[in-house]
């Protein structure tokens, strides 16, 4: 089954910026550790094309592949730390951010 393409407007800017930063970190660490892209892809059990997508910060690449790259490169605890236990046990007062809310005029409130 082919991968689903994600339209640019479906990915919030902050999320895309984080993915791009993660991709840059993956590439920088791969190069600093002197790991070739074929070798890293093999260690991760993914194709070179998928690794290239990760290094570009492609939002269509799976979260599992980003996390697997962090793990293999020794970056997991730094780039994706475990959530606080309070997030699991305490009811939150956080509000959902609606994608369309930024497009509303102030007059609509």
């Amino acid at each position: 089954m082919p991968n689903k393409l994600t339209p640019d407007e479906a990915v919030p800017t902050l999320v895309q910026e984080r993915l791009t930063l993660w991709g840059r970190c993956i590439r920088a660490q791969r190069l600093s550790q002197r790991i070739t892209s074929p070798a890293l892809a093999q260690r991760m059990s993914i194709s070179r094309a998928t690794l290239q997508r990760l290094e570009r910060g492609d939002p269509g690449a799976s979260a599992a592949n980003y996390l697997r790259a962090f793990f293999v490169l020794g970056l997991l605890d730094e780039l994706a730390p475990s959530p606080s236990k309070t997030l699991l046990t305490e009811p939150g007062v956080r509000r959902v951010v609606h994608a369309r809310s930024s497009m509303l005029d102030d007059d609509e409130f």
Side-chain angles (χ1 to χ4, degrees):
M1 178 163 65
N3 290 335
K4 188 180 353 178
L5 298 176
T6 307
D8 290 338
E9 57 273 358
V11 179
T13 303
L14 183 59
V15 172
Q16 183 57 59
E17 288 173 0
R18 187 67 50 94
L19 291 172
T20 300
L21 184 60
W22 281 358
R24 289 175 56 197
C25 287
I26 292 167
R27 179 172 169 74
Q29 286 298 309
R30 177 178 63 77
L31 293 174
S32 72
Q33 294 180 32
R34 296 182 177 171
I35 302 171
T36 65
S37 56
L40 181 57
Q42 183 179 16
R43 287 185 196 179
M44 294 175 58
S45 300
I46 61 173
S47 68
R48 284 184 61 198
T50 298
L51 178 58
Q52 289 172 343
R53 290 176 62 203
L54 292 174
E55 290 184 348
R56 284 194 311 263
D58 185 336
S62 79
N65 283 333
Y66 281 100
L67 294 173
R68 188 179 299 136
F70 301 160
F71 176 75
V72 169
L73 292 169
L75 304 171
L76 185 62
D77 289 335
E78 188 172 351
L79 292 176
S82 295
S84 164
K85 297 213 185 300
T86 59
L87 289 174
L88 301 172
T89 58
E90 295 179 11
V93 293
R94 301 180 195 324
R95 295 186 56 168
V96 174
V97 177
H98 297 283
R100 298 178 141 221
S101 65
S102 64
M103 298 181 344
L104 298 175
D105 293 331
D106 291 336
D107 298 334
E108 295 184 34
F109 289 104

